[in-house]
Amino acid sequence: MFKFTRRTEYALIAMRHLQSKSMSEITTTKEISDQYAIPFEILSKVLQSLAKVKIIKPVYGPNGGYIIKQNLSNISLWDFLEIMEGPLGLADCFIDSDCTQLDNCNIRTPIQQINNKMKTILTKMTVSDVTL
Amino acid sequence: MFKFTRRTEYALIAMRHLQSKSMSEITTTKEISDQYAIPFEILSKVLQSLAKVKIIKPVYGPNGGYIIKQNLSNISLWDFLEIMEGPLGLADCFIDSDCTQLDNCNIRTPIQQINNKMKTILTKMTVSDVTL
DNA sequence: TTATACCCGACACTTAAAGTCGTATTTATG
DNA sequence: CATAAATACGACTTTAAGTGTCGGGTATAA
Ligand code: FES
Ligand code: FES
């Protein structure tokens, strides 16, 4: 449990990098890939998925790249993580409500309480708490 | 990120089950395995590892099994999770201090703050918050 | 027209978790 | 003392998820 995926780390690094630039400055995938030693192809896809959810905006053609678009303090860290990694939860029953086999599970309630505590923390924080 | 491993879930279920019995009652692996539909061999190993760290006490021979031993409110949830799943942390650098490649990582400090918040929650809680 | 950048699906590789198997050890009991 | 019932444990296979690669496609400035 617990570790960010590389995708998520790459995304946060890139977003912080983009955030540090002025709104009009365009940054290429290659620039970020080089500076932080992130495999180019992987970072490409990460940035593409960020573009897909409108967090960054692509600029096509020569001298193109990305610019950061949305005010990142709008997005909670929880939501961002779910964008990057899919639905989150300490156990299956908090994700797809299908904790296989464990028909009469005896720990569901206490686990749910822990789950809620973690969720609260991450919901109160925003992406810009990381990127700013 | 975020989901307990099955091992951890199995352990918590078993510990709660054991906790619900009186101190002198012995419970077999098979009883728990049957009641919660956990693969016997897997549960065996989980209980063995719990026995190894003295959380439960094995009783050999016929009519043997396990009894719960230690006061579980002594063990923080964080420590317990590290027993079950190894060192925890949001990124490698908080585990083995070797975030590969990312020489000039720009998000280490903010990530560390989140890491600490999560760790605080789990350190303040004890295993008996789940098993009791 | 061309070069440069983003876009994207399909595939291969790697790793960790999950589960299986065979065998050894301990001990209560007849 | 033989047996059966329980834990102990290393070696192995299978599965699933994450990570990374490849080849081609689209948009656009110059
Ligand atoms: S049923 Fe989901 S944790 Fe047990
Ligand atoms: S160096 Fe560990 S998160 Fe970047």
Side-chain angles (χ1 to χ4, degrees):
Chain A
M1 74 172 298
F2 221 69
K3 239 169 67 177
F4 288 149
T5 61
R6 274 202 162 0
R7 273 178 58 80
T8 300
E9 271 192 61
Y10 293 159
L12 290 172
I13 289 171
M15 286 160 74
R16 179 163 178 124
H17 186 86
L18 287 167
Q19 190 100 304
S20 74
K21 301 283 180 94
S22 71
M23 275 296 279
S24 56
E25 240 176 314
I26 295 181
T27 309
T28 67
T29 304
K30 185 153 196 338
E31 174 183 332
I32 301 176
S33 151
D34 282 348
Q35 178 156 349
Y36 302 98
I38 300 170
F40 177 83
E41 288 298 335
I42 311 265
L43 181 61
S44 281
K45 292 203 177 171
V46 170
L47 294 179
Q48 283 161 32
S49 61
L50 291 179
K52 213 164 200 172
V53 297
K54 315 278 190 190
I55 289 179
I56 61 179
K57 182 168 163 294
V59 177
Y60 291 117
N63 303 319
Y66 292 101
I67 57 181
I68 200 117
K69 198 186 168 198
Q70 188 169 338
N71 181 357
L72 299 180
S73 59
N74 291 340
I75 311 174
S76 80
L77 216 41
W78 178 271
D79 289 344
F80 174 73
L81 290 173
E82 290 207 316
I83 287 172
M84 296 305 299
E85 312 194 1
L88 298 182
L90 286 178
D92 285 333
C93 55
F94 309 122
I95 298 176
D96 51 18
S97 63
D98 179 28
C99 265
T100 45
Q101 306 171 331
L102 313 177
D103 262 353
N104 37 1
C105 174
N106 59 358
I107 55 166
R108 182 164 184 182
T109 307
I111 298 289
Q112 188 160 29
Q113 285 166 2
I114 305 171
N115 193 71
N116 287 342
K117 285 195 187 186
M118 311 284 263
K119 181 167 181 176
T120 299
I121 285 192
L122 293 176
T123 303
K124 279 184 180 164
M125 299 188 70
T126 72
V127 173
S128 60
D129 287 330
V130 176
T131 60
L132 230 50
Chain B
M1 74 173 297
F2 221 69
K3 240 170 66 177
F4 288 150
T5 61
R6 274 200 162 2
R7 274 177 57 82
T8 300
E9 272 193 61
Y10 294 159
L12 290 172
I13 289 171
M15 286 159 74
R16 180 165 177 122
H17 186 86
L18 287 166
Q19 190 98 302
S20 74
K21 301 283 180 93
S22 72
M23 274 297 280
S24 56
E25 240 176 314
I26 295 179
T27 310
T28 66
T29 304
K30 186 155 194 340
E31 174 184 331
I32 301 176
S33 149
D34 283 348
Q35 179 155 348
Y36 303 98
I38 300 170
F40 176 84
E41 287 299 334
I42 311 268
L43 181 60
S44 282
K45 293 204 176 171
V46 169
L47 294 178
Q48 282 160 32
S49 62
L50 290 180
K52 213 164 201 173
V53 297
K54 314 281 190 189
I55 289 179
I56 61 179
K57 182 167 164 294
V59 178
Y60 291 116
N63 304 319
Y66 292 100
I67 56 180
I68 200 119
K69 198 186 169 198
Q70 187 167 339
N71 182 359
L72 299 181
S73 60
N74 291 341
I75 310 175
S76 80
L77 216 42
W78 178 272
D79 289 343
F80 174 73
L81 289 173
E82 289 207 315
I83 287 171
M84 295 305 298
E85 313 194 0
L88 298 182
L90 286 179
D92 285 334
C93 54
F94 310 122
I95 298 175
D96 52 18
S97 64
D98 179 25
C99 265
T100 45
Q101 308 170 330
L102 312 177
D103 262 352
N104 38 0
C105 174
N106 59 357
I107 54 166
R108 182 164 185 182
T109 306
I111 298 288
Q112 188 160 28
Q113 286 166 1
I114 305 172
N115 193 71
N116 287 342
K117 285 193 186 185
M118 311 285 263
K119 182 167 181 175
T120 299
I121 285 191
L122 292 175
T123 303
K124 279 184 180 163
M125 299 187 71
T126 72
V127 173
S128 60
D129 287 330
V130 176
T131 61
L132 229 51

